Amino acid sequence: MTTRILDGEIIETRLEDRRAFQGVLTRRVFAFLIDYLIVGLLLIPFAIIVLLLGILTFGLGWLLFGILVPAVALVYIWMTLGGPNQATVGMRMMGIRLERLDARPVDGMLAVVHSVLFWAGNALLTPLILLVTLFSDKKRALHDLLLGTVVTRSDV
């Protein structure tokens, strides 16, 4: 374990460094908007495929439109946030990443559950659940608290 001293404070892990959390909330919002745009762009070719499939199946394939948005979004989350970088494309652009408090890597299932809890929390409790970030340690959101994760800057 590497131990550093920062301003007289002993830092044993990266998650104890307060610089890893500076500006994370703003970066997280912009990363969300970028990822939302990317998922929207990814929907275009898949919607065309479902459209053609619907024509070939005399309309039966068009039932896939009902699950198209969540399916594309969840595959995107699984592949990016659950990948080796532990960050979506938007998160990488903003210089942040998702980490587990137990220092294990984030896998695809945890990434999907993290995303589903975010959307379920917003659907049930409105975006007011994001106020938790203003009062929690390390600027963690409600779904971060439930899953034992934290979003940190990747450049620290």
Side-chain angles (χ1 to χ4, degrees):
M1 185 177 300
T2 59
T3 303
R4 299 180 300 152
I5 298 179
L6 177 68
D7 297 331
E9 182 181 344
I10 297 174
I11 310 264
E12 292 184 10
T13 66
R14 189 175 172 293
L15 295 180
E16 292 177 3
D17 189 350
R18 66 181 176 275
R19 295 176 300 165
F21 305 102
Q22 292 175 342
V24 167
L25 291 179
T26 304
R27 291 170 183 239
R28 204 169 177 175
V29 169
F30 283 112
F32 171 78
L33 295 173
I34 292 168
D35 289 328
Y36 217 77
L37 177 65
I38 291 171
V39 169
L41 292 173
L42 286 172
L43 283 171
I44 295 170
F46 287 106
I48 292 170
I49 292 169
V50 170
L51 177 72
L52 295 175
L53 185 64
I55 292 171
L56 291 174
T57 60
F58 302 107
L60 192 59
W62 291 332
L63 293 173
L64 293 174
F65 276 121
I67 64 164
L68 186 62
V69 174
V72 169
L74 291 178
V75 169
Y76 173 76
I77 293 293
W78 183 290
M79 300 297 291
T80 57
L81 193 58
N85 293 322
Q86 295 183 192
T88 62
V89 175
M91 291 172 76
R92 280 186 283 172
M93 289 174 72
M94 297 310 304
I96 57 176
R97 61 181 283 174
L98 183 69
E99 296 188 38
R100 292 173 62 157
L101 293 178
D102 60 5
R104 294 190 331 213
V106 174
D107 60 346
M109 185 56 75
L110 179 67
V112 167
V113 170
H114 189 268
S115 180
V116 168
L117 281 177
F118 169 74
W119 285 107
N122 275 310
L124 295 174
L125 303 171
T126 71
L128 294 177
I129 65 162
L130 298 177
L131 290 176
V132 172
T133 60
L134 300 175
F135 304 106
S136 67
D137 66 322
K138 300 177 182 174
K139 305 299 181 195
R140 295 167 66 199
L142 184 60
H143 53 288
D144 293 324
L145 293 169
L146 292 172
L147 294 175
T149 59
V150 65
V151 176
T152 62
R153 292 178 57 160
S154 56
D155 58 353
V156 175

